[in-house]
């Protein structure tokens, strides 16, 4: 599998990073062994995933033995064992599919009768021990004592362990986003462009449980973002939709789920697992949008209390607008998705498609049949206009203006709509009866039975014994909505984090892409002409110039050096003024500076950076990678999942927004120059 390059993605403008001392995350995941229905489901899913992984290893070993051996008897034995392993795998996958397609456990506990929503289970992952790789990289690349960073490594590991089992609420979402944001820093600190740490990230497919393994951190980021979307689907499904407030929360959750999946679809290619493939993500986006439209219809029926003719027609058109299930069915029928999506999902979507088509005809019939009052002229014109806009095509028979004024014609047209509603209700119940998992959902059975009986009673009321005229075919209802669904992209500024490994130094210099020489100790003593150097920048302070023949040059200080310590005190994060104060207050014995010389892979960028540093009269005070960025730009089109380098170049890339991060190897500039 190859993914778009994520290892050096730049920090998006929608993330706010606080410049405060790092504190361990107060959030923790829920206990997967706790006795809740959802946790039991997760525990069973994790156990089956482990069994599938074991069986697949056994199958791989048996297949290798089958290919390697030349003994026919051994081949027969291995073939028999392979048949048993494949049979066990099939049973495990079917059991896992039933668990992953389980919808009832995520539904609301409200007593209101609503059509159940389709939630998505979280991707499971194995534990990853990053202790040894991170320690080795700290020693090798940063030349630091790795034992001093055991606390940071432990806290990062605890954060990853916690995000494996997030709670199904806002705290769980914040936990996932916090870890996702921390992965940016981990990427910049420990994942250079052309090297991996040898760490394997194992994630299981959310629907089939098939394991996938990659060394790219992009896979970890994508899987975490997928879980953000999946968690939003669970939060949306559990809302009490018997009240408008609960419906609004469900709409928001499903729109954000669609945004997360769409974000992945646009920034991830050649995914190792089917749940993160383009067709699957497209299907999930459409599914979430369809469920948003369902919620909008529920809100319209909840808030429309009057039985006015035009109001009922609007409800009918809103029901017809819930055509998302038809589009979802088309997506599910694609070759890559058809055999992947659980049968219960496809059945549920088909049931919903028939159900809402039936409701659109039912409400149209109610509007026509219950219209008994005498129209005023203004109302007559309004009703005639609404009736003209109701159908996709003009119904056969007399003109609609005559239908509106003639009770018998309205009854006939209403009866035709009821007939179509009953046909759709019966088809929905037939599809429902074909799926074992759906038959277990009592709430769905109640909904379908209730609306079918309601339409049947209405049809019986409209039917007459002396009615020998053949019922005309009612045209389909033209769809129209009061609220179009919106795809809300992830907003990472909701969770502000600080780099756990910030003690390594500012990312503008101390990152995985940068290379620098060993730390040099330079002893400076003030001469008659001063120290003979020019300082510029913050965090860390840059030696922007050295006076030829001065004290600094004689001591071995070079232009382009960074001051990382003064008299043994760490100054990587020191501001310009703090270093200046330390130099001014040095005693007669002088001052001892620890400096490094930064090297770069790109000599052209290095030259441009040096020129910009030397010519600029003033620079940024803050370290660009660490500065807080306001939420006003929270919806930037720039992605934290910036796998595509081409997009970086087209959009200005790293150089345009974070010049001092990667392109300027000489750090950020401070309050002008200081010469000594």
């Amino acid at each position: 599998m190859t993914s778009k390059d994520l290892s050096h993605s730049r920090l998006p403008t929608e993330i706010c990073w606080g410049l405060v001392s790092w504190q361990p995350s107060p959030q923790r995941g829920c206990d997967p062994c706790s006795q809740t229905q959802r946790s039991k489901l997760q525990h069973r899913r994790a156990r089956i995933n482990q069994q599938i992984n074991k069986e697949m290893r056994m199958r791989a070993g048996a297949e290798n033995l089958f290919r390697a051996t030349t003994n026919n008897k051994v081949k027969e034995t291995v073939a028999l064992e392979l048949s048993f392993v494949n049979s066990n795998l099939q049973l495990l996958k079917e059991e896992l599919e039933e668990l992953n397609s389980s919808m009832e456990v995520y539904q609301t506990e409200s007593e209101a009768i609503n059509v159940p929503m389709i939630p998505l289970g979280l991707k499971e992952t194995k534990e990853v021990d990053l202790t040894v790789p991170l320690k080795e990289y700290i020693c090798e690349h940063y030349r630091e004592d790795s034992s001093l960073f055991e606390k940071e490594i432990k806290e990062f590991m605890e954060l990853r362990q916690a995000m494996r089992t997030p709670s199904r609420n806002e705290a769980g979402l914040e936990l996932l986003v916090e870890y996702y944001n921390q992965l940016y820093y981990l990427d910049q600190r420990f994942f250079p462009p052309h090297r991996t740490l040898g760490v394997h990230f194992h994630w299981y497919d959310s629907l089939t449980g098939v394991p996938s393994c990659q060394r790219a951190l992009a896979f970890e980021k994508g899987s975490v973002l997928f879980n953000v979307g999946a968690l939003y689907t669970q939060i949306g499904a559990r809302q009490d939709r018997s009240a408008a407030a609960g419906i609004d929360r469900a709409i928001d959750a499903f729109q954000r789920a669609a945004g997360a999946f769409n974000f992945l679809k646009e920034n991830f290619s050649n995914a190792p697992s089917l749940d993160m493939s383009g067709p699957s993500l497209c299907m999930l986006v459409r599914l979430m949008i369809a469920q948003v439209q369902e919620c909008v219809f529920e809100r319209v029926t909840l808030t429309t209390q009057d039985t006015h003719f035009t109001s009922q027609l609007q409800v009918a058109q809103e029901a017809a607008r819930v055509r998302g299930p038809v589009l979802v069915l088309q997506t599910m029928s694609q070759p890559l998705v058809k055999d992947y999506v659980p049968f219960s999902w496809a059945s549920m979507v088909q049931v919903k498609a028939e159900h809402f088509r039936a409701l659109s005809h039912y409400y149209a019939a109610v509007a026509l049949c219950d219209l008994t009052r005498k129209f005023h002229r203004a109302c007559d014109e309004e009703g005639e206009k609404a009736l003209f806009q109701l159908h996709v095509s003009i119904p056969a028979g007399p003109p609609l203006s005559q239908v509106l004024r003639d009770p018998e014609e309205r009854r006939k047209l209403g009866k035709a709509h009821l007939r179509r509603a009953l046909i759709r209700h019966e088809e929905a119940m037939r599809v429902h009866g074909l799926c074992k998992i759906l038959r277990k959902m009592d709430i769905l059975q109640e909904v379908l039975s209730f609306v079918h009986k309601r339409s049947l009673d209405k049809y019986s009321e409209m039917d007459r014994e002396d009615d020998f005229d053949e019922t005309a075919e009612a045209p389909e209802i033209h769809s129209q909505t009061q609220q179009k669904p919106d795809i809300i992209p992830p907003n990472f500024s909701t969770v502000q984090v600080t780099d756990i490994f910030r003690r390594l130094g500012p990312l503008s210099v101390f990152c995985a892409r940068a290379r620098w020489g060993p730390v040099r100790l330079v002893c400076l003593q003030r001469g008659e002409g001063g120290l003979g150097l020019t300082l510029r920048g913050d965090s860390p302070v840059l030696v922007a110039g050295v006076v030829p023949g001065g004290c600094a040059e004689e001591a071995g200080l070079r232009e382009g050096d960074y001051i990382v310590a003064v008299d043994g005190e760490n100054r990587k994060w020191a501001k310009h003024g703090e270093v200046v104060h330390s130099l001014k207050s040095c005693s007669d014995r002088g001052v001892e500076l620890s400096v490094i010389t930064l090297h770069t892979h790109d000599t052209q960028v290095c030259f441009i950076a040096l020129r910009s540093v030397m010519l600029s009269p003033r620079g940024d005070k803050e370290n660009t990678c660490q500065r807080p960025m306001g939420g006003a730009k929270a919806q930037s089109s720039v992605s934290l999942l910036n796998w595509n380098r081409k997009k970086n170049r087209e959009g200005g890339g790293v150089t345009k927004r974070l010049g001092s991060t990667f392109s300027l190897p000489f750090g950020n500039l401070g309050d002008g120059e200081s010469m000594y």
Side-chain angles (χ1 to χ4, degrees):
M1 172 265 173
T2 57
S3 62
K4 298 179 182 178
D5 181 50
L6 180 68
S7 55
H8 308 297
S9 59
R10 61 191 177 102
L11 186 66
T13 56
E14 62 259 41
I15 301 181
C16 297
W17 308 106
L19 284 176
V20 296
S21 60
W22 177 80
Q23 296 292 338
S25 168
Q27 302 172 0
R28 290 296 178 263
C30 64
D31 182 4
C33 298
S34 62
Q35 298 304 306
T36 64
Q37 290 297 323
R38 177 175 171 269
S39 295
K40 287 180 181 179
L41 188 67
Q42 266 186 253
H43 186 67
R44 290 176 60 193
R45 185 185 291 118
R47 177 180 55 81
I48 295 175
N49 282 328
Q50 293 173 0
Q51 292 177 349
I52 289 176
N53 203 15
K54 178 181 176 182
E55 293 290 340
M56 292 189 69
R57 289 198 302 267
M58 292 176 60
R59 186 175 69 176
E63 288 174 345
N64 291 335
L65 179 59
F66 185 84
R67 287 191 294 266
T69 186
T70 57
N71 190 313
N72 291 333
K73 190 172 183 179
V74 173
K75 278 182 175 290
E76 291 178 3
T77 305
V78 172
L80 183 61
E81 291 295 330
L82 273 174
S83 65
F84 283 118
V85 170
N86 288 330
S87 178
N88 289 338
L89 267 175
Q90 185 63 30
L91 291 174
L92 287 171
K93 288 182 178 180
E94 289 177 0
E95 184 181 355
L96 186 64
E97 179 184 347
E98 185 173 348
L99 283 179
N100 288 332
S101 60
S102 175
M103 293 173 273
E104 196 166 11
V105 68
Y106 298 105
Q107 302 302 321
T108 177
E109 297 178 356
S110 170
E111 296 181 358
I113 300 179
N114 294 110
V115 178
M117 295 296 178
I118 300 179
L120 190 63
L122 302 182
K123 290 174 70 71
E124 302 286 343
T125 180
K126 294 173 62 176
E127 293 186 13
V128 177
D129 190 357
L130 296 168
T131 305
V132 174
L134 293 184
K135 280 189 172 183
E136 290 179 350
Y137 197 82
I138 289 173
C139 289
E140 174 191 344
H141 184 75
Y142 293 97
R143 298 184 177 91
E144 297 275 3
D145 184 359
S146 60
S147 62
L148 300 177
F149 292 87
E150 290 181 353
K151 179 183 176 182
E152 283 86 347
I153 295 175
K154 179 182 178 183
E155 293 296 339
F156 183 85
M157 297 283 292
E158 289 180 351
L159 180 61
R160 189 183 190 277
Q161 180 67 19
M163 73 87 198
R164 294 176 63 192
T165 55
S167 54
R168 192 168 36 142
N169 49 31
E170 288 296 326
L173 289 169
E174 290 178 4
L175 179 62
L176 287 172
V177 175
E178 178 185 354
Y179 178 70
Y180 181 75
N181 289 347
Q182 285 292 350
L183 287 176
Y184 166 80
Y185 285 118
L186 191 75
D187 188 7
Q188 301 303 319
R189 295 285 190 192
F190 299 103
F191 286 81
H194 308 295
R195 174 186 169 187
T196 64
L197 294 184
V199 178
H200 291 82
F201 299 100
H202 296 261
W203 287 85
Y204 296 91
D205 191 286
S206 62
L207 292 179
T208 64
V210 175
S212 300
C213 175
Q214 278 204 344
R215 291 182 293 181
L217 195 64
F219 184 40
E220 179 88 347
K221 291 181 179 180
S223 298
V224 174
L225 186 56
F226 183 93
N227 276 358
V228 171
L231 194 55
Y232 269 122
T233 69
Q234 297 177 15
I235 292 175
R238 72 174 301 185
Q239 298 302 321
D240 181 6
R241 305 198 307 277
S242 62
I247 293 176
D248 290 339
R249 288 192 295 268
I251 290 174
D252 181 72
F254 288 128
Q255 289 183 152
R256 293 184 184 278
F261 295 136
N262 191 63
F263 197 89
L264 267 178
K265 180 173 68 72
E266 293 178 348
N267 293 278
F268 198 88
S269 63
N270 302 319
S273 58
L274 281 174
D275 55 354
M276 295 170 63
S277 65
S280 295
L281 291 172
C282 182
M283 179 270 295
L284 290 175
V285 171
R286 288 186 175 184
L287 178 61
M288 296 305 113
I289 292 301
Q291 297 192 142
V292 169
Q293 204 68 62
E294 289 180 48
C295 294
V296 173
F297 168 75
E298 290 176 352
R299 187 175 59 189
V300 170
T301 56
L302 187 68
T303 56
T304 304
Q305 302 296 337
D306 63 271
T307 57
H308 190 269
F309 177 68
T310 55
S311 299
Q312 294 299 314
L313 293 185
Q314 288 175 358
V315 175
Q317 290 183 304
E318 194 71 60
R321 183 68 180 182
V322 189
R323 60 184 178 183
V326 178
L327 299 177
V328 177
L329 276 176
Q330 294 174 358
T331 310
M332 287 182 175
S333 62
Q334 294 181 3
L336 290 177
V337 184
K338 183 178 181 181
D339 298 328
Y340 170 69
V341 174
F343 177 68
S344 61
W345 280 29
S347 300
M348 174 66 91
V349 171
Q350 190 174 354
V351 167
K352 288 187 175 186
E354 300 294 342
H355 172 72
F356 285 102
R357 286 181 68 184
L359 289 182
S360 66
H361 287 288
Y362 170 78
Y363 281 105
V366 169
L368 290 165
C369 297
D370 292 351
L371 182 60
T372 58
R373 64 180 177 80
K374 188 176 181 180
F375 277 112
H376 296 294
R377 182 172 181 80
C379 296
D380 196 1
E381 293 177 357
E382 180 185 358
E384 185 174 345
K385 181 180 178 182
L387 189 58
F388 268 108
Q389 297 174 351
L390 177 64
H391 300 101
V392 173
S393 59
I394 300 176
L400 292 179
S401 57
Q402 180 180 341
V403 171
L404 194 62
R405 297 177 177 84
D406 189 341
E408 180 60 22
E409 293 297 333
R410 290 200 307 270
R411 185 191 69 83
K412 289 181 179 180
L413 183 57
K415 183 180 177 182
H417 280 292
L418 279 173
R419 181 172 176 271
R420 295 204 65 171
L422 285 170
I423 293 174
R424 293 304 166 192
H425 283 314
E426 290 168 0
E427 178 63 16
M429 297 178 71
R430 185 190 70 82
V431 176
H432 169 265
L434 295 176
C435 180
K436 180 179 68 174
I437 295 178
L438 295 188
R439 288 199 303 268
K440 295 179 181 179
M441 300 183 68
D442 296 335
I443 184 67
L444 182 58
Q445 179 68 47
E446 290 182 35
V447 172
L448 297 179
S449 299
F450 172 77
V451 293
H452 178 259
K453 184 177 183 303
R454 184 178 63 178
S455 296
L456 192 60
D457 292 343
K458 192 70 175 178
Y459 188 85
S460 301
E461 179 185 334
M462 292 293 102
D463 199 18
R464 295 176 181 173
E465 293 183 1
D466 58 346
D467 190 359
F468 299 107
D469 294 336
E470 184 178 351
T471 304
E473 188 73 16
E476 290 291 345
I477 305 299
H478 185 271
S479 64
Q480 189 173 347
T481 183
Q482 297 182 7
Q483 176 183 340
K484 291 184 178 181
D486 188 20
I487 297 177
I488 303 178
N491 182 3
F492 303 104
S493 65
T494 55
V495 181
Q496 299 186 17
V497 300
T498 304
D499 182 10
I500 292 178
F501 296 94
R502 75 186 305 274
R503 287 202 296 128
L504 289 172
L507 269 178
S508 59
V509 175
F510 301 96
C511 63
R513 291 193 67 177
R515 292 289 184 270
W516 54 87
V519 177
R520 309 194 321 273
L521 294 178
V522 178
C523 295
L524 284 180
Q525 288 187 337
R526 188 182 300 275
E528 295 181 358
L531 295 176
L533 74 157
T534 302
L535 301 181
R536 179 175 286 186
D538 288 330
S539 306
V541 173
L542 167 72
V543 178
V546 176
V547 177
C551 298
E553 186 181 53
E554 292 179 358
L557 205 61
R558 298 194 291 266
E559 181 181 305
D561 285 344
Y562 281 104
I563 299 175
V564 296
V566 178
D567 286 333
E569 185 178 353
N570 192 323
R571 291 295 186 179
K572 291 179 180 178
W573 284 97
K575 299 296 183 183
H576 183 89
E578 296 173 0
V579 176
V580 170
H581 177 74
S582 299
L583 294 180
K584 284 184 176 180
S585 59
C586 67
S587 59
D588 294 337
R589 64 177 178 81
V591 61
E592 184 181 74
L593 301 180
S594 298
V595 298
I596 60 170
T597 301
L598 190 66
H599 308 295
T600 179
H601 300 293
D602 192 341
T603 56
Q604 181 179 1
V605 172
C606 179
F607 172 78
I608 296 174
L610 178 60
R611 179 181 177 85
S612 65
V613 169
M614 298 305 296
L615 296 180
S616 174
R618 184 179 180 87
D620 300 330
K621 290 187 177 183
E622 302 288 350
N623 181 277
T624 305
C625 273
Q626 308 289 333
R627 76 173 59 180
M629 284 183 270
K633 298 182 180 180
Q635 304 302 328
S636 170
S637 61
V638 181
S639 160
L640 183 59
L641 289 173
N642 222 335
W643 286 305
N644 196 334
R645 286 184 175 179
K646 183 178 179 181
K647 288 184 179 180
N648 275 345
R649 293 194 296 269
E650 292 172 351
V654 175
T655 305
K656 182 177 179 181
R657 177 65 182 90
L658 295 179
S660 58
T661 304
F662 298 128
S663 299
L664 297 182
F666 302 103
N668 302 300
L669 307 182
D671 296 331
E673 294 182 348
S674 300
M675 301 186 64
Y676 303 96

